[in-house]
Amino acid sequence: MKATLEYILLTQSPALFLAAIVLLIGYFIKKKNHRIRAALNLIVAIVCLAGGIALYFVGMKLLDGFTIDNFWQIRIPGWVGLGVVVVLTGLSVYRSTAKAITKRRAEKYAAKAEAEHAKALEDAKTAAYESGKADALAAEKVADTVAEVAAAPAADPSPVPGASATDSEAAGEQ
């Protein structure tokens, strides 16, 4: 047979069947989360299946090489079409796998950052509690000291301890 454009197109029906199967599998995978994409996969799978059947029947009518006896024989352009479908399917699987891995990695980093943030908050709360506890002890000591000073009899009326009355008078003259 001659390798004409018509012959090449008519031998692509195995590739269309494989594409229909891959798209149908994609439909079942995506139908829970991505309803519109799943519906598009189903529609394109039906079109590929119908196209593959139509190309086989048209090939049997137009070309002498297509008969029922060699119906399952895949010709060279058909193998090329199958190779293209396999490569595109592999790229699609790679992209979706890489996307899932990236999403999982981002979720992992987000969880780690959230845990670090929670730990930092807990450490800040603990530090604030310890600081407040130390301030409370210092305030209690100051209060005890003030109470002791207030309870002690005032022997010297000078405001500064160790200062004499003459110092107070000298400070008032200036």
Side-chain angles (χ1 to χ4, degrees), residues 60-79:
M60 283 193 290
K61 294 234 185 227
L62 294 179
L63 299 175
D64 295 334
F66 283 63
T67 62
I68 294 294
D69 296 336
N70 62 3
F71 184 72
W72 298 106
Q73 182 182 359
I74 300 175
R75 288 134 190 101
I76 298 296
W79 284 109

Side-chain angles (χ1 to χ4, degrees), residues 10-33:
L10 293 176
T11 56
Q12 297 306 312
S13 52
L16 288 173
F17 288 136
L18 181 62
I21 290 170
V22 168
L23 288 168
L24 194 60
I25 291 170
Y27 164 75
F28 288 118
I29 290 172
K30 292 180 183 178
K31 74 178 180 180
K32 281 186 179 179
N33 298 331

Side-chain angles (χ1 to χ4, degrees):
M1 283 190 214
K2 302 189 271 186
T4 63
L5 182 61
E6 181 182 45
Y7 173 74
I8 292 172
L9 288 176
L10 293 176
T11 56
Q12 297 306 312
S13 52
L16 288 173
F17 288 136
L18 181 62
I21 290 170
V22 168
L23 288 168
L24 194 60
I25 291 170
Y27 164 75
F28 288 118
I29 290 172
K30 292 180 183 178
K31 74 178 180 180
K32 281 186 179 179
N33 298 331
H34 306 284
R35 292 176 187 241
I36 294 174
R37 288 183 186 174
L40 288 174
N41 275 0
L42 184 61
I43 291 169
V44 174
I46 292 170
V47 168
C48 285
L49 188 62
I53 293 170
L55 286 178
Y56 259 131
F57 282 119
V58 169
M60 283 193 290
K61 294 234 185 227
L62 294 179
L63 299 175
D64 295 334
F66 283 63
T67 62
I68 294 294
D69 296 336
N70 62 3
F71 184 72
W72 298 106
Q73 182 182 359
I74 300 175
R75 288 134 190 101
I76 298 296
W79 284 109
V80 172
L82 284 172
V84 169
V85 170
V86 168
V87 167
L88 291 178
T89 302
L91 287 174
S92 176
V93 168
Y94 173 76
R95 278 187 24 214
S96 61
T97 304
K99 191 180 207 182
I101 288 171
T102 303
K103 182 179 177 184
R104 214 173 302 131
R105 193 176 293 151
E107 288 172 354
K108 181 180 171 184
Y109 288 142
K112 184 178 177 182
E114 186 177 334
E116 289 176 357
H117 180 69
K119 186 179 182 308
L121 281 176
E122 188 63 33
D123 290 345
K125 284 180 185 178
T126 303
Y129 175 75
E130 294 298 326
S131 174
K133 189 175 175 183
D135 288 345
L137 287 175
E140 186 177 325
K141 285 182 182 178
V142 168
D144 289 343
T145 305
V146 168
E148 288 176 10
V149 169
D156 189 13
S158 65
V160 178
S164 63
T166 56
D167 291 338
S168 298
E169 292 171 4
E173 293 176 1
Q174 293 179 347

